[in-house]
Amino acid sequence: MPVPLMWASPIGMSILLGYIDSNGHPNLTIRVSGAHPSAAVVVEATIDTGFTDFLMLPLVHALPLGLPLYGTVDYTLADGSKITNFVAEGTVTVLPPNGRAQEPEPLHRVQRVTGAVVLGGDSALLGMEFIRGLNKLLMVGKTVVLIDNSLVDEALLAAVKNPEE
Amino acid sequence: MTPNLTDPRAIADAANKIYEERYKADYEARFPGKYAAINIADQSATVGETSSSTLSQARQNHPGGLFHLIRIGHAGTFDVGFSHRYVHSSRVY
């Protein structure tokens, strides 16, 4: 587990942390909830940039949440085969990396996105629709950081104005 | 004929048939790359930019519906790069 960085910058723009797991994959600790606010599960989810959608959640985690069912979706696996799964509505809240003490968060820093949850798979996967819904830039190196796009825009603007610095 | 609603494959097959008969030619010309939610209850379709927004809008339009999501102009709706790489499809149940 990497040394945690600050969870949120003092200027109110949030930086989210993940971590690199033992297999070298980028992960986030998330809470998934449905229509009932007391039904939620905390899971370690892998960020899969090859996954085009929002969240895939194994049935063992999804069924107890009573997620509202939308219907079905086909998807193509990495080996080219095609399967069909149920899809439901769920809300994902990003939490500090597992093991770190929970800190009270001002409301505007809570990172919560609602989207279509594909029910199935062996482990929780976060896809590109989730990353876009957060409106953050994903950086993966020795650790995982999601940073406000506005911060990046400001940095780029500053670099353009002062190219020699 | 009403498909078996406990079998996602049956729902998908029914919806794909509706899509191909009623919407495919038109939607592939007008909305390539977007998403269509086909309601097998009344054979209606809702088009949107993302899978989540399309399904959400479809539910708002047809609260009692059961939808199959299709990515217009693509063979599969989603791609999964990692989690199922070595998993046979029967293991998801």
Side-chain angles (χ1 to χ4, degrees), chain A residues 25 48 50-53 56 68 70-78 82-84 115-116 121-123 125 129, chain B residues 8-9 11 16 50-52 55 59 66-69 75-84 87 89 91 93:
Chain A
H25 299 125
D48 182 357
F51 180 36
T52 49
D53 209 64
M56 179 176 291
Y70 280 138
T72 56
V73 60
D74 290 332
Y75 61 96
T76 304
L77 307 185
K82 190 172 164 181
I83 61 175
T84 303
D122 293 329
S123 59
L125 282 187
E129 190 168 308
Chain B
R9 187 66 253 165
I11 296 170
N16 282 323
T50 68
S51 58
S52 298
L55 286 168
R59 279 187 75 200
L66 186 61
F67 309 97
H68 179 68
L69 190 67
T77 300
F78 307 131
D79 293 319
V80 179
F82 165 68
S83 178
H84 291 298
V87 174
S89 59
R91 283 182 58 189
Y93 296 106

mmCIF file of all heavy atoms in Angstrom, chain A residues 25 48 50-53 56 68 70-78 82-84 115-116 121-123 125 129, chain B residues 8-9 11 16 50-52 55 59 66-69 75-84 87 89 91 93:
data_model
loop_
_atom_site.group_PDB
_atom_site.id
_atom_site.type_symbol
_atom_site.label_atom_id
_atom_site.label_comp_id
_atom_site.label_asym_id
_atom_site.label_seq_id
_atom_site.Cartn_x
_atom_site.Cartn_y
_atom_site.Cartn_z
ATOM 1 N N HIS A 25 -2.264 -3.892 -10.722
ATOM 2 C CA HIS A 25 -3.407 -3.232 -11.352
ATOM 3 C C HIS A 25 -3.891 -2.051 -10.519
ATOM 4 O O HIS A 25 -3.884 -2.119 -9.281
ATOM 5 C CB HIS A 25 -4.559 -4.221 -11.548
ATOM 6 C CG HIS A 25 -4.198 -5.370 -12.437
ATOM 7 N ND1 HIS A 25 -4.334 -6.677 -12.028
ATOM 8 C CD2 HIS A 25 -3.708 -5.422 -13.695
ATOM 9 C CE1 HIS A 25 -3.934 -7.479 -13.006
ATOM 10 N NE2 HIS A 25 -3.553 -6.742 -14.017
ATOM 11 N N ASP A 48 -10.326 -0.546 -15.162
ATOM 12 C CA ASP A 48 -10.021 -1.245 -16.410
ATOM 13 C C ASP A 48 -10.298 -0.290 -17.564
ATOM 14 O O ASP A 48 -11.455 -0.080 -17.941
ATOM 15 C CB ASP A 48 -10.897 -2.502 -16.513
ATOM 16 C CG ASP A 48 -10.611 -3.312 -17.765
ATOM 17 O OD1 ASP A 48 -9.782 -2.886 -18.593
ATOM 18 O OD2 ASP A 48 -11.239 -4.373 -17.925
ATOM 19 N N GLY A 50 -9.910 -0.826 -20.499
ATOM 20 C CA GLY A 50 -10.479 -1.567 -21.613
ATOM 21 C C GLY A 50 -11.964 -1.830 -21.451
ATOM 22 O O GLY A 50 -12.593 -2.389 -22.355
ATOM 23 N N PHE A 51 -12.522 -1.432 -20.350
ATOM 24 C CA PHE A 51 -13.948 -1.594 -20.070
ATOM 25 C C PHE A 51 -14.630 -0.278 -20.397
ATOM 26 O O PHE A 51 -14.357 0.748 -19.779
ATOM 27 C CB PHE A 51 -14.152 -1.972 -18.608
ATOM 28 C CG PHE A 51 -15.582 -2.182 -18.183
ATOM 29 C CD1 PHE A 51 -16.519 -2.754 -19.034
ATOM 30 C CD2 PHE A 51 -15.978 -1.834 -16.909
ATOM 31 C CE1 PHE A 51 -17.830 -2.956 -18.635
ATOM 32 C CE2 PHE A 51 -17.298 -2.036 -16.485
ATOM 33 C CZ PHE A 51 -18.215 -2.592 -17.346
ATOM 34 N N THR A 52 -15.542 -0.317 -21.361
ATOM 35 C CA THR A 52 -16.096 0.928 -21.875
ATOM 36 C C THR A 52 -17.182 1.529 -20.982
ATOM 37 O O THR A 52 -17.523 2.696 -21.149
ATOM 38 C CB THR A 52 -16.695 0.698 -23.279
ATOM 39 O OG1 THR A 52 -17.538 -0.464 -23.242
ATOM 40 C CG2 THR A 52 -15.611 0.468 -24.302
ATOM 41 N N ASP A 53 -17.732 0.726 -20.067
ATOM 42 C CA ASP A 53 -18.885 1.247 -19.348
ATOM 43 C C ASP A 53 -18.587 1.664 -17.915
ATOM 44 O O ASP A 53 -17.479 2.025 -17.580
ATOM 45 C CB ASP A 53 -20.024 0.233 -19.387
ATOM 46 C CG ASP A 53 -21.361 0.940 -19.326
ATOM 47 O OD1 ASP A 53 -21.665 1.690 -20.274
ATOM 48 O OD2 ASP A 53 -22.079 0.779 -18.334
ATOM 49 N N MET A 56 -18.804 -2.981 -13.329
ATOM 50 C CA MET A 56 -19.218 -4.371 -13.321
ATOM 51 C C MET A 56 -19.100 -4.859 -11.876
ATOM 52 O O MET A 56 -18.076 -4.603 -11.221
ATOM 53 C CB MET A 56 -18.338 -5.207 -14.244
ATOM 54 C CG MET A 56 -18.692 -6.673 -14.270
ATOM 55 S SD MET A 56 -17.710 -7.588 -15.461
ATOM 56 C CE MET A 56 -18.369 -6.939 -16.983
ATOM 57 N N PRO A 68 -32.083 -1.394 -8.561
ATOM 58 C CA PRO A 68 -33.184 -1.377 -9.539
ATOM 59 C C PRO A 68 -32.713 -1.941 -10.878
ATOM 60 O O PRO A 68 -31.711 -1.492 -11.435
ATOM 61 C CB PRO A 68 -33.527 0.112 -9.663
ATOM 62 C CG PRO A 68 -32.953 0.764 -8.458
ATOM 63 C CD PRO A 68 -31.760 -0.039 -8.068
ATOM 64 N N TYR A 70 -32.534 -2.563 -14.762
ATOM 65 C CA TYR A 70 -32.885 -1.932 -16.026
ATOM 66 C C TYR A 70 -33.246 -2.963 -17.076
ATOM 67 O O TYR A 70 -34.236 -2.821 -17.801
ATOM 68 C CB TYR A 70 -31.664 -1.167 -16.584
ATOM 69 C CG TYR A 70 -31.382 0.181 -15.999
ATOM 70 C CD1 TYR A 70 -30.068 0.549 -15.711
ATOM 71 C CD2 TYR A 70 -32.384 1.116 -15.789
ATOM 72 C CE1 TYR A 70 -29.767 1.807 -15.214
ATOM 73 C CE2 TYR A 70 -32.084 2.377 -15.290
ATOM 74 C CZ TYR A 70 -30.774 2.707 -15.009
ATOM 75 O OH TYR A 70 -30.465 3.951 -14.519
ATOM 76 N N GLY A 71 -32.412 -3.989 -17.207
ATOM 77 C CA GLY A 71 -32.602 -4.950 -18.281
ATOM 78 C C GLY A 71 -31.331 -5.714 -18.540
ATOM 79 O O GLY A 71 -30.708 -6.228 -17.604
ATOM 80 N N THR A 72 -30.910 -5.798 -19.786
ATOM 81 C CA THR A 72 -29.769 -6.613 -20.172
ATOM 82 C C THR A 72 -28.833 -5.869 -21.094
ATOM 83 O O THR A 72 -29.180 -4.848 -21.686
ATOM 84 C CB THR A 72 -30.238 -7.895 -20.901
ATOM 85 O OG1 THR A 72 -31.052 -7.521 -22.030
ATOM 86 C CG2 THR A 72 -31.035 -8.803 -19.990
ATOM 87 N N VAL A 73 -27.633 -6.417 -21.188
ATOM 88 C CA VAL A 73 -26.642 -5.845 -22.086
ATOM 89 C C VAL A 73 -25.724 -6.955 -22.562
ATOM 90 O O VAL A 73 -25.439 -7.896 -21.823
ATOM 91 C CB VAL A 73 -25.845 -4.730 -21.378
ATOM 92 C CG1 VAL A 73 -25.115 -5.268 -20.158
ATOM 93 C CG2 VAL A 73 -24.890 -4.051 -22.323
ATOM 94 N N ASP A 74 -25.300 -6.873 -23.819
ATOM 95 C CA ASP A 74 -24.295 -7.796 -24.350
ATOM 96 C C ASP A 74 -22.924 -7.177 -24.168
ATOM 97 O O ASP A 74 -22.769 -5.960 -24.294
ATOM 98 C CB ASP A 74 -24.502 -8.025 -25.858
ATOM 99 C CG ASP A 74 -25.739 -8.831 -26.159
ATOM 100 O OD1 ASP A 74 -26.147 -9.644 -25.300
ATOM 101 O OD2 ASP A 74 -26.318 -8.643 -27.249
ATOM 102 N N TYR A 75 -21.935 -7.988 -23.887
ATOM 103 C CA TYR A 75 -20.601 -7.454 -23.990
ATOM 104 C C TYR A 75 -19.623 -8.472 -24.544
ATOM 105 O O TYR A 75 -19.849 -9.678 -24.499
ATOM 106 C CB TYR A 75 -20.099 -6.823 -22.691
ATOM 107 C CG TYR A 75 -19.988 -7.687 -21.488
ATOM 108 C CD1 TYR A 75 -18.788 -8.277 -21.155
ATOM 109 C CD2 TYR A 75 -21.065 -7.852 -20.633
ATOM 110 C CE1 TYR A 75 -18.666 -9.033 -20.021
ATOM 111 C CE2 TYR A 75 -20.949 -8.614 -19.497
ATOM 112 C CZ TYR A 75 -19.749 -9.201 -19.200
ATOM 113 O OH TYR A 75 -19.622 -9.957 -18.071
ATOM 114 N N THR A 76 -18.564 -7.934 -25.105
ATOM 115 C CA THR A 76 -17.537 -8.720 -25.775
ATOM 116 C C THR A 76 -16.326 -8.828 -24.862
ATOM 117 O O THR A 76 -15.790 -7.815 -24.414
ATOM 118 C CB THR A 76 -17.123 -8.050 -27.101
ATOM 119 O OG1 THR A 76 -18.284 -7.875 -27.915
ATOM 120 C CG2 THR A 76 -16.115 -8.910 -27.840
ATOM 121 N N LEU A 77 -15.910 -10.056 -24.586
ATOM 122 C CA LEU A 77 -14.766 -10.269 -23.713
ATOM 123 C C LEU A 77 -13.456 -10.097 -24.481
ATOM 124 O O LEU A 77 -13.452 -9.981 -25.699
ATOM 125 C CB LEU A 77 -14.826 -11.679 -23.116
ATOM 126 C CG LEU A 77 -16.127 -12.065 -22.409
ATOM 127 C CD1 LEU A 77 -15.987 -13.437 -21.783
ATOM 128 C CD2 LEU A 77 -16.486 -11.029 -21.354
ATOM 129 N N ALA A 78 -12.381 -10.084 -23.716
ATOM 130 C CA ALA A 78 -11.073 -9.879 -24.341
ATOM 131 C C ALA A 78 -10.736 -10.994 -25.332
ATOM 132 O O ALA A 78 -9.979 -10.787 -26.284
ATOM 133 C CB ALA A 78 -9.986 -9.798 -23.268
ATOM 134 N N LYS A 82 -18.824 -13.515 -26.608
ATOM 135 C CA LYS A 82 -19.886 -12.570 -26.291
ATOM 136 C C LYS A 82 -20.803 -13.179 -25.236
ATOM 137 O O LYS A 82 -21.180 -14.347 -25.341
ATOM 138 C CB LYS A 82 -20.662 -12.276 -27.572
ATOM 139 C CG LYS A 82 -21.648 -11.140 -27.505
ATOM 140 C CD LYS A 82 -22.175 -10.877 -28.924
ATOM 141 C CE LYS A 82 -23.414 -10.048 -28.925
ATOM 142 N NZ LYS A 82 -23.946 -9.802 -30.264
ATOM 143 N N ILE A 83 -21.144 -12.395 -24.215
ATOM 144 C CA ILE A 83 -22.082 -12.889 -23.208
ATOM 145 C C ILE A 83 -23.111 -11.801 -22.912
ATOM 146 O O ILE A 83 -22.931 -10.635 -23.281
ATOM 147 C CB ILE A 83 -21.370 -13.330 -21.912
ATOM 148 C CG1 ILE A 83 -20.615 -12.154 -21.280
ATOM 149 C CG2 ILE A 83 -20.414 -14.469 -22.177
ATOM 150 C CD1 ILE A 83 -20.010 -12.519 -19.945
ATOM 151 N N THR A 84 -24.178 -12.203 -22.234
ATOM 152 C CA THR A 84 -25.272 -11.285 -21.901
ATOM 153 C C THR A 84 -25.479 -11.286 -20.398
ATOM 154 O O THR A 84 -25.570 -12.348 -19.784
ATOM 155 C CB THR A 84 -26.575 -11.710 -22.597
ATOM 156 O OG1 THR A 84 -26.366 -11.768 -23.996
ATOM 157 C CG2 THR A 84 -27.687 -10.708 -22.300
ATOM 158 N N GLY A 115 -24.755 5.287 -12.200
ATOM 159 C CA GLY A 115 -24.697 4.793 -13.566
ATOM 160 C C GLY A 115 -25.202 3.368 -13.669
ATOM 161 O O GLY A 115 -25.763 2.813 -12.723
ATOM 162 N N ALA A 116 -24.961 2.756 -14.822
ATOM 163 C CA ALA A 116 -25.436 1.405 -15.114
ATOM 164 C C ALA A 116 -24.426 0.381 -14.617
ATOM 165 O O ALA A 116 -23.268 0.407 -15.009
ATOM 166 C CB ALA A 116 -25.659 1.244 -16.619
ATOM 167 N N GLY A 121 -19.361 -11.180 -13.420
ATOM 168 C CA GLY A 121 -17.912 -11.101 -13.333
ATOM 169 C C GLY A 121 -17.376 -11.669 -12.027
ATOM 170 O O GLY A 121 -18.121 -11.978 -11.099
ATOM 171 N N ASP A 122 -16.062 -11.794 -11.986
ATOM 172 C CA ASP A 122 -15.402 -12.349 -10.809
ATOM 173 C C ASP A 122 -14.983 -11.285 -9.824
ATOM 174 O O ASP A 122 -14.742 -11.571 -8.646
ATOM 175 C CB ASP A 122 -14.145 -13.131 -11.235
ATOM 176 C CG ASP A 122 -14.496 -14.373 -12.028
ATOM 177 O OD1 ASP A 122 -15.568 -14.935 -11.776
ATOM 178 O OD2 ASP A 122 -13.695 -14.761 -12.889
ATOM 179 N N SER A 123 -14.828 -10.061 -10.300
ATOM 180 C CA SER A 123 -14.391 -8.987 -9.414
ATOM 181 C C SER A 123 -14.965 -7.670 -9.925
ATOM 182 O O SER A 123 -15.419 -7.581 -11.069
ATOM 183 C CB SER A 123 -12.862 -8.919 -9.370
ATOM 184 O OG SER A 123 -12.340 -8.701 -10.665
ATOM 185 N N LEU A 125 -15.167 -4.107 -11.456
ATOM 186 C CA LEU A 125 -14.410 -3.367 -12.458
ATOM 187 C C LEU A 125 -15.008 -1.990 -12.649
ATOM 188 O O LEU A 125 -16.218 -1.861 -12.818
ATOM 189 C CB LEU A 125 -14.478 -4.058 -13.812
ATOM 190 C CG LEU A 125 -13.643 -5.279 -14.118
ATOM 191 C CD1 LEU A 125 -13.808 -5.630 -15.584
ATOM 192 C CD2 LEU A 125 -12.193 -5.051 -13.788
ATOM 193 N N GLU A 129 -16.619 4.973 -18.511
ATOM 194 C CA GLU A 129 -17.778 5.842 -18.286
ATOM 195 C C GLU A 129 -17.779 6.356 -16.844
ATOM 196 O O GLU A 129 -18.190 7.490 -16.579
ATOM 197 C CB GLU A 129 -19.083 5.105 -18.586
ATOM 198 C CG GLU A 129 -20.278 6.038 -18.597
ATOM 199 C CD GLU A 129 -21.516 5.392 -19.179
ATOM 200 O OE1 GLU A 129 -21.425 4.853 -20.304
ATOM 201 O OE2 GLU A 129 -22.563 5.412 -18.510
ATOM 202 N N PRO B 8 -31.370 -13.737 -19.314
ATOM 203 C CA PRO B 8 -30.928 -12.517 -20.003
ATOM 204 C C PRO B 8 -30.706 -12.726 -21.492
ATOM 205 O O PRO B 8 -30.919 -11.814 -22.299
ATOM 206 C CB PRO B 8 -29.630 -12.136 -19.275
ATOM 207 C CG PRO B 8 -29.190 -13.361 -18.558
ATOM 208 C CD PRO B 8 -30.415 -14.138 -18.263
ATOM 209 N N ARG B 9 -30.283 -13.918 -21.871
ATOM 210 C CA ARG B 9 -30.056 -14.189 -23.283
ATOM 211 C C ARG B 9 -31.370 -14.138 -24.064
ATOM 212 O O ARG B 9 -31.421 -13.625 -25.175
ATOM 213 C CB ARG B 9 -29.391 -15.564 -23.440
ATOM 214 C CG ARG B 9 -28.948 -15.912 -24.842
ATOM 215 C CD ARG B 9 -27.826 -15.023 -25.332
ATOM 216 N NE ARG B 9 -28.291 -14.063 -26.323
ATOM 217 C CZ ARG B 9 -27.624 -12.987 -26.710
ATOM 218 N NH1 ARG B 9 -26.441 -12.714 -26.190
ATOM 219 N NH2 ARG B 9 -28.120 -12.164 -27.612
ATOM 220 N N ILE B 11 -34.016 -12.357 -23.274
ATOM 221 C CA ILE B 11 -34.406 -10.942 -23.342
ATOM 222 C C ILE B 11 -33.611 -10.251 -24.445
ATOM 223 O O ILE B 11 -34.163 -9.501 -25.264
ATOM 224 C CB ILE B 11 -34.172 -10.243 -21.989
ATOM 225 C CG1 ILE B 11 -35.071 -10.853 -20.915
ATOM 226 C CG2 ILE B 11 -34.404 -8.738 -22.095
ATOM 227 C CD1 ILE B 11 -34.743 -10.400 -19.506
ATOM 228 N N ASN B 16 -32.994 -7.765 -29.674
ATOM 229 C CA ASN B 16 -32.204 -7.635 -30.909
ATOM 230 C C ASN B 16 -33.082 -7.829 -32.140
ATOM 231 O O ASN B 16 -32.888 -7.180 -33.172
ATOM 232 C CB ASN B 16 -31.052 -8.646 -30.908
ATOM 233 C CG ASN B 16 -29.895 -8.198 -30.024
ATOM 234 O OD1 ASN B 16 -29.572 -7.007 -29.955
ATOM 235 N ND2 ASN B 16 -29.270 -9.130 -29.335
ATOM 236 N N THR B 50 -24.670 8.033 -23.588
ATOM 237 C CA THR B 50 -23.941 7.044 -22.786
ATOM 238 C C THR B 50 -24.907 5.935 -22.383
ATOM 239 O O THR B 50 -26.129 6.118 -22.419
ATOM 240 C CB THR B 50 -23.354 7.670 -21.518
ATOM 241 O OG1 THR B 50 -24.427 8.038 -20.634
ATOM 242 C CG2 THR B 50 -22.505 8.898 -21.829
ATOM 243 N N SER B 51 -24.331 4.810 -21.970
ATOM 244 C CA SER B 51 -25.194 3.694 -21.581
ATOM 245 C C SER B 51 -26.043 4.071 -20.367
ATOM 246 O O SER B 51 -27.253 3.801 -20.330
ATOM 247 C CB SER B 51 -24.351 2.462 -21.272
ATOM 248 O OG SER B 51 -23.427 2.744 -20.237
ATOM 249 N N SER B 52 -25.417 4.727 -19.395
ATOM 250 C CA SER B 52 -26.150 5.072 -18.168
ATOM 251 C C SER B 52 -27.267 6.065 -18.455
ATOM 252 O O SER B 52 -28.394 5.889 -17.977
ATOM 253 C CB SER B 52 -25.182 5.646 -17.134
ATOM 254 O OG SER B 52 -24.206 4.685 -16.769
ATOM 255 N N LEU B 55 -30.216 4.386 -20.435
ATOM 256 C CA LEU B 55 -31.071 3.530 -19.609
ATOM 257 C C LEU B 55 -31.890 4.368 -18.635
ATOM 258 O O LEU B 55 -33.075 4.085 -18.408
ATOM 259 C CB LEU B 55 -30.212 2.520 -18.852
ATOM 260 C CG LEU B 55 -29.651 1.379 -19.707
ATOM 261 C CD1 LEU B 55 -28.596 0.610 -18.928
ATOM 262 C CD2 LEU B 55 -30.761 0.448 -20.157
ATOM 263 N N ARG B 59 -36.003 4.515 -18.634
ATOM 264 C CA ARG B 59 -36.836 4.222 -17.465
ATOM 265 C C ARG B 59 -37.782 5.365 -17.150
ATOM 266 O O ARG B 59 -38.909 5.164 -16.692
ATOM 267 C CB ARG B 59 -35.961 3.920 -16.248
ATOM 268 C CG ARG B 59 -35.431 2.511 -16.216
ATOM 269 C CD ARG B 59 -34.734 2.218 -14.929
ATOM 270 N NE ARG B 59 -35.684 2.026 -13.851
ATOM 271 C CZ ARG B 59 -35.391 2.138 -12.571
ATOM 272 N NH1 ARG B 59 -34.177 2.478 -12.224
ATOM 273 N NH2 ARG B 59 -36.285 1.936 -11.653
ATOM 274 N N LEU B 66 -38.629 -3.142 -19.604
ATOM 275 C CA LEU B 66 -37.422 -3.952 -19.412
ATOM 276 C C LEU B 66 -36.604 -3.777 -20.682
ATOM 277 O O LEU B 66 -37.085 -4.069 -21.781
ATOM 278 C CB LEU B 66 -37.783 -5.416 -19.199
ATOM 279 C CG LEU B 66 -36.618 -6.347 -18.835
ATOM 280 C CD1 LEU B 66 -35.967 -5.931 -17.517
ATOM 281 C CD2 LEU B 66 -37.089 -7.791 -18.754
ATOM 282 N N PHE B 67 -35.385 -3.318 -20.524
ATOM 283 C CA PHE B 67 -34.639 -2.818 -21.664
ATOM 284 C C PHE B 67 -33.409 -3.654 -21.970
ATOM 285 O O PHE B 67 -32.750 -4.174 -21.080
ATOM 286 C CB PHE B 67 -34.193 -1.373 -21.397
ATOM 287 C CG PHE B 67 -35.303 -0.483 -20.961
ATOM 288 C CD1 PHE B 67 -35.511 -0.231 -19.614
ATOM 289 C CD2 PHE B 67 -36.166 0.083 -21.891
ATOM 290 C CE1 PHE B 67 -36.560 0.578 -19.193
ATOM 291 C CE2 PHE B 67 -37.216 0.894 -21.486
ATOM 292 C CZ PHE B 67 -37.417 1.138 -20.136
ATOM 293 N N HIS B 68 -33.105 -3.728 -23.238
ATOM 294 C CA HIS B 68 -31.822 -4.295 -23.676
ATOM 295 C C HIS B 68 -31.035 -3.165 -24.312
ATOM 296 O O HIS B 68 -31.560 -2.452 -25.176
ATOM 297 C CB HIS B 68 -32.022 -5.433 -24.667
ATOM 298 C CG HIS B 68 -30.734 -6.019 -25.150
ATOM 299 N ND1 HIS B 68 -29.884 -6.734 -24.331
ATOM 300 C CD2 HIS B 68 -30.125 -5.969 -26.360
ATOM 301 C CE1 HIS B 68 -28.819 -7.111 -25.011
ATOM 302 N NE2 HIS B 68 -28.933 -6.658 -26.248
ATOM 303 N N LEU B 69 -29.800 -3.020 -23.873
ATOM 304 C CA LEU B 69 -28.981 -1.911 -24.352
ATOM 305 C C LEU B 69 -28.141 -2.342 -25.548
ATOM 306 O O LEU B 69 -27.482 -3.376 -25.505
ATOM 307 C CB LEU B 69 -28.065 -1.435 -23.230
ATOM 308 C CG LEU B 69 -27.308 -0.142 -23.494
ATOM 309 C CD1 LEU B 69 -28.270 1.032 -23.569
ATOM 310 C CD2 LEU B 69 -26.283 0.098 -22.390
ATOM 311 N N ALA B 75 -20.913 -4.470 -32.828
ATOM 312 C CA ALA B 75 -21.344 -5.858 -32.633
ATOM 313 C C ALA B 75 -21.647 -6.136 -31.172
ATOM 314 O O ALA B 75 -22.605 -6.813 -30.846
ATOM 315 C CB ALA B 75 -20.264 -6.810 -33.135
ATOM 316 N N GLY B 76 -20.831 -5.620 -30.250
ATOM 317 C CA GLY B 76 -21.070 -5.775 -28.818
ATOM 318 C C GLY B 76 -21.293 -4.409 -28.217
ATOM 319 O O GLY B 76 -20.888 -3.399 -28.765
ATOM 320 N N THR B 77 -21.950 -4.350 -27.090
ATOM 321 C CA THR B 77 -22.194 -3.047 -26.474
ATOM 322 C C THR B 77 -20.976 -2.562 -25.712
ATOM 323 O O THR B 77 -20.532 -1.444 -25.868
ATOM 324 C CB THR B 77 -23.399 -3.129 -25.526
ATOM 325 O OG1 THR B 77 -24.527 -3.519 -26.272
ATOM 326 C CG2 THR B 77 -23.666 -1.783 -24.888
ATOM 327 N N PHE B 78 -20.464 -3.431 -24.855
ATOM 328 C CA PHE B 78 -19.309 -3.063 -24.063
ATOM 329 C C PHE B 78 -18.136 -3.946 -24.409
ATOM 330 O O PHE B 78 -18.310 -5.072 -24.828
ATOM 331 C CB PHE B 78 -19.581 -3.262 -22.570
ATOM 332 C CG PHE B 78 -20.815 -2.599 -22.069
ATOM 333 C CD1 PHE B 78 -21.721 -3.295 -21.305
ATOM 334 C CD2 PHE B 78 -21.056 -1.270 -22.342
ATOM 335 C CE1 PHE B 78 -22.853 -2.685 -20.817
ATOM 336 C CE2 PHE B 78 -22.190 -0.647 -21.856
ATOM 337 C CZ PHE B 78 -23.100 -1.366 -21.092
ATOM 338 N N ASP B 79 -16.967 -3.402 -24.172
ATOM 339 C CA ASP B 79 -15.772 -4.221 -24.218
ATOM 340 C C ASP B 79 -15.262 -4.350 -22.805
ATOM 341 O O ASP B 79 -15.328 -3.404 -22.018
ATOM 342 C CB ASP B 79 -14.687 -3.559 -25.086
ATOM 343 C CG ASP B 79 -15.086 -3.509 -26.538
ATOM 344 O OD1 ASP B 79 -15.651 -4.493 -27.025
ATOM 345 O OD2 ASP B 79 -14.852 -2.469 -27.183
ATOM 346 N N VAL B 80 -14.776 -5.551 -22.457
ATOM 347 C CA VAL B 80 -14.187 -5.765 -21.146
ATOM 348 C C VAL B 80 -12.775 -6.245 -21.369
ATOM 349 O O VAL B 80 -12.553 -7.276 -21.989
ATOM 350 C CB VAL B 80 -14.969 -6.821 -20.338
ATOM 351 C CG1 VAL B 80 -14.323 -7.031 -18.982
ATOM 352 C CG2 VAL B 80 -16.399 -6.387 -20.179
ATOM 353 N N GLY B 81 -11.810 -5.482 -20.864
ATOM 354 C CA GLY B 81 -10.435 -5.799 -21.181
ATOM 355 C C GLY B 81 -9.766 -6.751 -20.234
ATOM 356 O O GLY B 81 -8.906 -7.520 -20.608
ATOM 357 N N PHE B 82 -10.216 -6.745 -18.955
ATOM 358 C CA PHE B 82 -9.400 -7.402 -17.944
ATOM 359 C C PHE B 82 -10.079 -8.538 -17.212
ATOM 360 O O PHE B 82 -9.607 -9.660 -17.239
ATOM 361 C CB PHE B 82 -8.924 -6.349 -16.931
ATOM 362 C CG PHE B 82 -8.386 -6.915 -15.668
ATOM 363 C CD1 PHE B 82 -7.190 -7.619 -15.667
ATOM 364 C CD2 PHE B 82 -9.072 -6.804 -14.479
ATOM 365 C CE1 PHE B 82 -6.690 -8.166 -14.508
ATOM 366 C CE2 PHE B 82 -8.567 -7.346 -13.313
ATOM 367 C CZ PHE B 82 -7.385 -8.016 -13.327
ATOM 368 N N SER B 83 -11.214 -8.251 -16.578
ATOM 369 C CA SER B 83 -11.737 -9.181 -15.575
ATOM 370 C C SER B 83 -12.072 -10.548 -16.144
ATOM 371 O O SER B 83 -11.898 -11.560 -15.476
ATOM 372 C CB SER B 83 -12.985 -8.583 -14.939
ATOM 373 O OG SER B 83 -13.529 -9.470 -14.002
ATOM 374 N N HIS B 84 -12.582 -10.605 -17.366
ATOM 375 C CA HIS B 84 -13.015 -11.881 -17.909
ATOM 376 C C HIS B 84 -12.042 -12.461 -18.908
ATOM 377 O O HIS B 84 -12.400 -13.333 -19.674
ATOM 378 C CB HIS B 84 -14.365 -11.700 -18.613
ATOM 379 C CG HIS B 84 -15.478 -11.425 -17.649
ATOM 380 N ND1 HIS B 84 -15.860 -12.299 -16.685
ATOM 381 C CD2 HIS B 84 -16.270 -10.356 -17.507
ATOM 382 C CE1 HIS B 84 -16.849 -11.777 -15.996
ATOM 383 N NE2 HIS B 84 -17.120 -10.603 -16.463
ATOM 384 N N VAL B 87 -11.893 -16.161 -18.332
ATOM 385 C CA VAL B 87 -13.067 -16.783 -17.736
ATOM 386 C C VAL B 87 -13.998 -17.271 -18.820
ATOM 387 O O VAL B 87 -14.332 -16.542 -19.730
ATOM 388 C CB VAL B 87 -13.805 -15.770 -16.834
ATOM 389 C CG1 VAL B 87 -15.101 -16.352 -16.321
ATOM 390 C CG2 VAL B 87 -12.916 -15.363 -15.688
ATOM 391 N N SER B 89 -17.587 -18.055 -20.312
ATOM 392 C CA SER B 89 -18.819 -17.297 -20.117
ATOM 393 C C SER B 89 -19.746 -17.945 -19.109
ATOM 394 O O SER B 89 -20.474 -17.273 -18.398
ATOM 395 C CB SER B 89 -19.552 -17.107 -21.443
ATOM 396 O OG SER B 89 -19.865 -18.363 -22.010
ATOM 397 N N ARG B 91 -19.132 -19.083 -16.297
ATOM 398 C CA ARG B 91 -18.751 -18.804 -14.918
ATOM 399 C C ARG B 91 -19.363 -17.537 -14.357
ATOM 400 O O ARG B 91 -19.246 -17.253 -13.194
ATOM 401 C CB ARG B 91 -17.234 -18.726 -14.786
ATOM 402 C CG ARG B 91 -16.565 -20.094 -14.786
ATOM 403 C CD ARG B 91 -15.070 -19.964 -14.599
ATOM 404 N NE ARG B 91 -14.747 -19.268 -13.377
ATOM 405 C CZ ARG B 91 -13.534 -18.875 -13.054
ATOM 406 N NH1 ARG B 91 -12.522 -19.092 -13.860
ATOM 407 N NH2 ARG B 91 -13.285 -18.237 -11.925
ATOM 408 N N TYR B 93 -22.370 -16.979 -13.939
ATOM 409 C CA TYR B 93 -23.583 -17.272 -13.149
ATOM 410 C C TYR B 93 -23.276 -18.254 -12.041
ATOM 411 O O TYR B 93 -22.389 -19.057 -12.126
ATOM 412 C CB TYR B 93 -24.678 -17.832 -14.045
ATOM 413 C CG TYR B 93 -25.115 -16.819 -15.077
ATOM 414 C CD1 TYR B 93 -24.739 -16.956 -16.402
ATOM 415 C CD2 TYR B 93 -25.855 -15.715 -14.691
ATOM 416 C CE1 TYR B 93 -25.114 -16.006 -17.320
ATOM 417 C CE2 TYR B 93 -26.227 -14.758 -15.628
ATOM 418 C CZ TYR B 93 -25.863 -14.916 -16.931
ATOM 419 O OH TYR B 93 -26.219 -13.979 -17.844
#
